[in-house]
Amino acid sequence: MTYHSKIVEAGKAIAPFAQTWDGIEPENVARMRLQNRFHTGLDIARYTAKIMRADMAAYDADPANYTQSLGCWHGFIGQQKMISIKKHFGTTKGRYLYLSGWMVAALRSEFGPLPDQSMHEKTSVSDLIEELYTFLKQADARELGMLFRDLDEAKKAGDAVNTHRLLHKIDEFETHVVPIIADIDAGFGNAEATYLLAKKFIEAGACCIQIENQVSDEKQCGHQDGKVTVPHEDFLAKIRAVRYAFMELGVDDGVIVARTDSLGAGLTKQIAYTREAGDLGDQYNSFLDCEEVDATSLGHGDVLIARDGKLMRPKRLPSNLYQFRTGTGEDRCVLDCITSLQNGADLLWIETEKPHIGQIGGMVSRIREVIPNAKLVYNNSPSFNWTLNFRQQVYDAMVEAGKDVSAYDRSKLMSVDYDGTELGIEADERIRTFQRDAAAQAGIFHHLITLPTYHTAALSTDNLAKRYFGEEGMLGYVKQVQREEIRQGIACVKHQNMSGSDIGDDHKEYFAGEAALKAGGIHNTMNQFAA
């Protein structure tokens, strides 16, 4: 619907009450409606689910159409990311938000900083989803508000060409609201608890929920030790719980990402129930580290399972956890992924210990033998030392190719001395093309970085503190922050505008007309940044 059509629509709504609704202008109503396109989180979830499904289909047609996101821990961070994307690339297409449970635990819990072990308040995640979309909607209102002001100026000046151009920009306006992949950890409890929390996520706007196969009350960060997985039937119950939540709320095309931590998880809390040889429970149990026993070697309290007519004793730890056989991680990952896709999941997440296309692609190839269109969400994790990993990969490739590596010490590949070398340059090029190459060779539909804005906040604050509290004083802020904001066109240099001051002034004028007391007058110091 065009801008003019919106005005006509608003006029029709006002007309029956024209005598009593004095001062309610159709154009102002139309503007406010355009600035508030999404009224509820469910509106957002339904809108973004369709975007994500279309993107998945586009990737299936051509792996060059992979998507990306950065993890955001505050609404402002997500807002600035999407404003930046629109500024630099002209569109938000293919760029999402990622909400990391790790960052919620570390930065948003009332308990203070916590490790990634599902100890934070479970609704703090859905609260952050709502906050992120509140800030993105405000970004829409701000940008449209500036277009409306420019339109008024063009009309006032009688500039028909500019008026036409601005009307076209308003009619073709692209929202900052994009899909979010939201981390529900292991569901924060049983399947019912997962369902209830998933509903909170969806009602806040999430079209995509990521859930992992760890034990909820033993959950660990995917890049730490001590991970414990659950039998498949337990995990599938939670996948179904999330699907029911989507369906109940009318987001029929909601997306579920099934994450497996089996590659790095060597433990299980329970032995799977099995009805017959070869069923899903039996396949899970087949990976247990067992020893054959007979009646004479049984110990008090031993737990036994029967396998192929033999009595087997699974290795049980003092923690009451059972141990998997060493070297079974990839096989368990492949089974996890196939089973999840066959039972309601849409996308996969394999948590790996290193960014290695061959390793990821090898598992995906095995999965695709059963599910040809299987595709991944992949964590380009800051827990990886990317420089070291890729320099090691290049070093090993050079050795395999018979090249002279005498100039390099493999144990010291992080050295700055290697930055400008053939090895360092090749490693950086592989990092640069990693996402594109992994999308083509390893079935990765979506690349994300879980914790980037955690690290950028720390780095930028460190740099500012070092300069401001050192010899540079105020110049440390002006030179490194404000001057760069101005020269790079960072919208936040006009922080009053970014906070919504101009939106408020527009509303004051709608409500009070000439009597409005506005903040954006000639004495507002933000005018110093108009040049």
Side-chain angles (χ1 to χ4, degrees):
M1 185 178 289
T2 67
Y3 180 66
H4 285 306
S5 298
K6 282 283 187 182
I7 296 172
V8 171
E9 179 185 65
K12 290 179 179 178
I14 294 168
F17 310 96
Q19 292 184 340
T20 54
W21 289 6
D22 182 45
I24 304 298
E25 296 294 333
E27 187 164 14
N28 295 343
V29 173
R31 290 181 175 188
M32 295 175 82
R33 286 178 172 179
L34 285 167
Q35 288 174 302
N36 188 28
R37 171 181 173 182
F38 302 100
H39 300 149
T40 69
L42 288 176
D43 289 343
I44 292 171
R46 294 183 185 112
Y47 168 76
T48 54
K50 287 179 172 54
I51 291 173
M52 198 164 178
R53 290 288 180 176
D55 287 346
M56 290 162 65
Y59 173 83
D60 287 340
D62 182 356
N65 296 316
Y66 64 89
T67 56
Q68 300 168 294
S69 66
L70 295 173
C72 300
W73 54 272
H74 192 280
F76 176 74
I77 300 296
Q79 178 197 63
Q80 294 307 299
K81 184 186 87 169
M82 298 316 301
I83 288 173
S84 176
I85 287 169
K86 283 193 73 174
K87 179 180 76 172
H88 292 296
F89 305 104
T91 179
T92 62
K93 184 172 175 55
R95 282 90 175 195
Y96 300 172
L97 294 174
Y98 180 68
L99 192 159
S100 160
W102 192 102
M103 286 207 287
V104 173
L107 297 170
R108 299 298 299 259
S109 173
E110 291 185 11
F111 294 107
L114 293 172
D116 186 18
Q117 296 173 4
S118 289
M119 295 190 291
H120 54 281
E121 308 87 338
K122 64 172 83 174
T123 53
S124 61
V125 187
S126 51
D127 288 346
L128 180 52
I129 296 170
E130 183 176 5
E131 176 182 295
L132 282 160
Y133 282 126
T134 296
F135 273 78
L136 293 188
K137 290 192 294 181
Q138 194 258 15
D140 281 359
R142 172 187 165 273
E143 185 177 336
L144 281 165
M146 292 190 295
L147 288 172
F148 296 150
R149 287 181 173 216
D150 290 344
L151 178 63
D152 289 342
E153 289 296 319
K155 287 181 175 179
K156 185 178 179 180
D159 188 340
V161 172
N162 201 26
T163 296
H164 179 77
R165 181 186 67 83
L166 288 163
L167 285 170
H168 179 74
K169 288 189 72 171
I170 293 167
D171 289 342
E172 298 299 317
F173 179 79
E174 182 181 29
T175 178
H176 295 81
V177 169
V178 295
I180 190 169
I181 299 174
D183 182 1
I184 202 170
D185 283 4
F188 287 87
N190 60 20
E192 174 69 5
T194 301
Y195 153 78
L196 292 171
L197 185 56
K199 284 178 62 176
K200 287 284 189 183
F201 278 37
I202 299 160
E203 287 167 343
C207 72
C208 178
I209 295 176
Q210 161 210 331
I211 187 165
E212 63 200 51
N213 69 335
Q214 291 193 49
V215 175
S216 184
D217 60 354
E218 302 282 358
K219 185 258 188 299
Q220 296 278 7
C221 170
H223 294 285
Q224 292 188 307
D225 207 353
K227 294 185 289 296
V228 184
T229 62
V230 297
H232 294 101
E233 289 294 352
D234 293 31
F235 187 52
L236 297 181
K238 292 186 177 183
I239 289 177
R240 286 191 287 270
V242 175
R243 179 62 65 202
Y244 270 112
F246 273 125
M247 297 295 289
E248 178 184 336
L249 295 173
V251 187
D252 297 350
D253 46 2
V255 179
I256 299 174
V257 178
R259 168 176 146 177
T260 172
D261 283 277
S262 291
L263 192 62
L267 303 168
T268 181
K269 194 165 187 175
Q270 62 201 91
I271 296 171
Y273 176 74
T274 177
R275 297 173 180 81
E276 59 185 11
D279 67 10
L280 200 52
D282 191 46
Q283 291 179 68
Y284 186 81
N285 293 340
S286 70
F287 296 113
L288 292 171
D289 191 356
C290 300
E291 58 181 342
E292 186 177 353
V293 296
D294 58 37
T296 63
S297 60
L298 296 181
H300 181 72
D302 275 354
V303 173
L304 305 176
I305 60 175
R307 181 184 296 163
D308 300 326
K310 301 174 182 177
L311 280 180
M312 310 294 292
R313 177 168 52 205
K315 289 189 177 178
R316 186 167 59 166
L317 306 181
S319 59
N320 275 322
L321 301 173
Y322 296 93
Q323 185 172 297
F324 289 115
R325 295 196 314 278
T326 302
T328 62
E330 287 200 9
D331 291 340
R332 285 185 282 125
C333 276
V334 171
L335 180 60
D336 294 343
C337 291
I338 292 171
T339 303
S340 294
L341 290 176
Q342 288 175 333
N343 289 273
D346 302 291
L347 296 168
L348 302 170
W349 175 315
I350 300 175
E351 195 77 317
T352 65
E353 82 285 3
K354 59 181 179 290
H356 193 288
I357 292 175
Q359 178 197 38
I360 306 162
M363 288 185 280
V364 171
S365 293
R366 293 174 61 190
I367 297 163
R368 284 183 166 179
E369 290 175 5
V370 182
I371 314 287
N373 68 339
K375 43 193 169 286
L376 267 62
V377 171
Y378 187 70
N379 178 9
N380 292 234
S381 177
S383 293
F384 304 145
N385 185 329
W386 286 77
T387 302
L388 180 60
N389 269 287
F390 277 85
R391 287 184 178 183
Q392 288 175 341
Q393 290 178 34
V394 172
Y395 180 95
D396 294 343
M398 291 173 71
V399 170
E400 188 176 346
K403 291 187 177 181
D404 180 13
V405 293
S406 60
Y408 309 107
D409 182 343
R410 197 180 187 279
S411 66
K412 299 179 180 178
L413 289 178
M414 277 298 296
S415 172
V416 68
D417 296 337
Y418 296 146
D419 286 2
T421 64
E422 178 188 358
L423 182 147
I425 293 169
E426 172 61 19
D428 282 353
E429 178 61 12
R430 291 192 184 194
I431 294 171
R432 187 185 72 82
T433 63
F434 173 79
Q435 295 192 346
R436 181 189 69 197
D437 296 341
Q441 300 170 34
I444 296 176
F445 157 72
H446 186 81
H447 283 282
L448 61 89
I449 308 178
T450 43
L451 321 175
T453 51
Y454 176 90
H455 291 282
T456 54
L459 179 62
S460 61
T461 303
D462 179 83
N463 288 334
L464 175 59
K466 175 178 63 178
R467 295 173 184 278
Y468 176 73
F469 292 107
E471 292 298 318
E472 292 185 31
M474 191 58 194
L475 182 62
Y477 171 77
V478 171
K479 185 177 180 181
Q480 301 299 322
V481 180
Q482 189 179 78
R483 195 176 295 168
E484 287 303 309
E485 284 182 304
I486 294 169
R487 291 176 177 174
Q488 294 183 39
I490 305 299
C492 266
V493 72
K494 299 180 181 180
H495 50 257
Q496 305 287 15
N497 168 270
M498 185 59 66
S499 72
S501 181
D502 289 344
I503 296 172
D505 276 358
D506 290 340
H507 290 170
K508 290 173 185 177
E509 190 169 342
Y510 298 167
F511 307 155
E514 294 181 355
L517 184 63
K518 296 190 287 187
I522 60 172
H523 298 299
N524 189 315
T525 59
M526 285 289 100
N527 295 330
Q528 296 173 27
F529 298 93

